[in-house]
Amino acid sequence: MPESAPTAVQIPAIGADSELLHLGLRDNGSLEVPPTGPDSPASWYDKSPTPGELGPSILLGHVNEEDGSDGVFAGLRDLQPGDEIQIEREDGSTATFSSTASMPRSRRARA
């Protein structure tokens, strides 16, 4: 797919649905992270390829919020092979990906 910045992510199998902030690097070279708090959005690292382009595109989101509630990606550990990840793009297209693996049960048990 040609370059087009992402605007939203949906992962129906886990109920994730978020607009995407576009974040970069901090002055110290570390990644900026999305805000915390109830209903905080996910973000896209704007120096990575856009979803659908060749190469790894980086999305960031919290699993847990600072108040203890579930973050946008709380259900990632429940993804199963074949579950779809849909990324809406500025050009109106949707890049659709499929999960290729699930986390082993032993890792799921850790908090």
Side-chain angles (χ1 to χ4, degrees), residues 64-107:
N64 299 313
E65 298 296 354
E66 61 188 11
D67 67 358
S69 63
D70 286 346
V72 66
F73 291 149
L76 281 183
R77 292 181 178 172
D78 297 324
L79 276 180
Q80 296 298 310
D83 287 345
E84 287 191 347
I85 299 130
Q86 302 161 346
I87 311 290
E88 295 176 14
R89 298 162 22 111
E90 283 182 349
D91 65 5
S93 66
T94 300
T96 302
F97 303 90
S98 294
S99 175
T100 58
S102 60
M103 293 184 73
R105 289 258 177 222
S106 61
R107 300 244 352 235

Side-chain angles (χ1 to χ4, degrees), residues 3-33:
E3 179 180 349
S4 181
T7 58
V9 58
Q10 291 88 33
I11 309 173
I14 61 169
D17 187 357
S18 176
E19 67 179 274
L20 287 171
L21 303 177
H22 296 187
L23 299 178
L25 295 175
R26 296 177 177 148
D27 290 339
N28 68 4
S30 65
L31 284 171
E32 291 180 313
V33 296

Side-chain angles (χ1 to χ4, degrees), residues 25-72:
L25 295 175
R26 296 177 177 148
D27 290 339
N28 68 4
S30 65
L31 284 171
E32 291 180 313
V33 296
T36 60
D39 301 318
S40 293
S43 68
W44 166 65
Y45 171 51
D46 66 4
K47 303 296 185 249
S48 67
T50 64
E53 281 189 287
L54 184 61
S57 186
I58 301 170
L59 300 181
L60 300 108
H62 297 284
V63 172
N64 299 313
E65 298 296 354
E66 61 188 11
D67 67 358
S69 63
D70 286 346
V72 66

